[in-house]
Amino acid sequence: MLARPLQFGPVRLETNLLLAPIAGWCELAWRETCRSLGGVGLACTDLLSPKGLICGSEATADLARTSEFDQPIGMQLYGGDPRVLAEGARWCADHGATVVDINMGCPVDKVCKKDGGSKLMCSPDLARRIAEAVRGALPDEIPLTAKMRLGWTEEDAQRNAAGALAVSLTEVGVCGITVHGRTTEQLFKGACRREGIRRVVEAVGEATGDVSSGGVPVIGNGDVRSASDVLGMLRETGAAGVMIGRGSFARPWVFREGWEAC
């Protein structure tokens, strides 16, 4: 059985299928639509600017807007300043976040130019300091997760930079890792590389133990459009769950189908 509820620290999800934080898509109405069709264990907000949250930007706060039906909810922050991200995390905790996630995987220029997104994979020490600061700002009942890519370059992917970073983050309190199976240089071109995700699963498993015994779960992401893709991701990578983003655009019921197929 691959259909296993997912555990992030103290938070237990009903399924192991997650709706990805998709820029320009993950407003409240879309999250509620996917939830209404079943199978969603956790839905995430659009990328949130911590500065926008702290300064009271209405546009940023609207991206974080949630509801009673929109639960449990993950709020994803991006940026490169540990102090600012920690303040943003406190805002999320005060405004209904079930889980807080740090974006270490977005490849777009406007995010990377601010030392956020996948640019953090080029500075693993900074990424670790950010995770440590954010974890320290959150109450114990709100778990911290991180989403990343296989690395910035092909060389990074070959040396399993994502695996090394993931293990480092678990050492400072990150209790869930999502890996998109492409490098930053690939953007969304080429096929998702499940073998790269498997290497991260293996590295985190070796460092933290089996998920069934309390080890940190790794979530696979990339090119999941159907129930068979969900099964393939779980079987080929050994991941504890699957995050679905663009593949849900035409099939928002893919979560229900994937959960039933598992």
Side-chain angles (χ1 to χ4, degrees):
M1 287 290 292
L2 298 174
R4 298 181 181 133
L6 197 60
Q7 189 88 24
F8 286 145
V11 173
R12 184 173 178 83
L13 308 179
E14 291 186 1
T15 80
N16 59 350
L17 303 180
L18 290 68
L19 173 60
I22 319 164
W25 272 84
C26 270
E27 72 284 348
L28 178 59
W30 175 246
R31 300 195 303 269
E32 291 186 331
T33 296
C34 292
R35 289 183 189 277
S36 70
L37 295 168
V40 177
L42 180 75
C44 297
T45 65
D46 201 327
L47 288 68
L48 302 175
S49 163
K51 288 184 179 179
L53 297 175
I54 297 164
C55 295
S57 163
E58 291 185 12
T60 306
D62 189 58
L63 292 177
R65 188 164 56 91
T66 186
S67 69
E68 289 186 13
F69 182 64
D70 185 39
Q71 298 296 319
I73 181 67
M75 295 188 181
Q76 190 188 70
L77 300 170
Y78 74 91
D81 186 319
R83 181 187 59 80
V84 174
L85 279 158
E87 290 185 33
R90 280 189 285 269
W91 187 98
C92 293
D94 292 338
H95 290 80
T98 310
V99 176
V100 170
D101 186 81
I102 303 172
N103 185 316
M104 301 186 183
C106 180
V108 303
D109 284 346
K110 69 177 182 179
V111 173
C112 291
K113 285 179 179 178
K114 297 179 180 178
D115 294 327
S118 59
K119 185 65 178 295
L120 286 173
M121 298 200 72
C122 300
S123 305
D125 290 341
L126 174 59
R128 180 183 172 110
R129 291 200 307 274
I130 286 172
E132 193 168 18
V134 172
R135 178 64 270 170
L138 290 172
D140 293 342
E141 64 269 21
I142 298 181
L144 175 63
T145 62
K147 186 173 187 290
M148 62 185 65
R149 287 189 166 228
L150 297 180
W152 188 277
T153 66
E154 178 61 26
E155 182 181 351
D156 291 337
Q158 291 299 320
R159 64 181 176 84
N160 197 17
L165 177 58
V167 170
S168 176
L169 296 177
T170 66
E171 293 171 348
V172 294
V174 171
C175 63
I177 301 288
T178 300
V179 184
H180 180 87
R182 292 181 175 86
T183 65
T184 299
E185 289 182 339
Q186 285 182 274
L187 297 176
F188 293 99
K189 298 176 182 177
C192 170
R193 293 149 65 176
R194 292 177 179 173
E195 76 282 358
I197 298 174
R198 171 172 281 281
R199 292 173 67 199
V200 180
V201 171
E202 292 171 346
V204 173
E206 183 176 344
T208 69
D210 188 84
V211 173
S212 63
S213 302
V216 172
V218 175
I219 314 304
N221 172 239
D223 294 355
V224 177
R225 303 180 181 89
S226 66
S228 62
D229 290 335
V230 170
L231 288 169
M233 178 68 80
L234 292 170
R235 287 172 175 158
E236 293 176 33
T237 67
V242 178
M243 180 175 280
I244 305 172
R246 294 176 299 155
S248 68
F249 292 175
R251 299 177 62 85
W253 51 84
V254 67
F255 302 92
R256 184 191 68 237
E257 292 181 340
W259 181 246
E260 291 173 349
C262 291

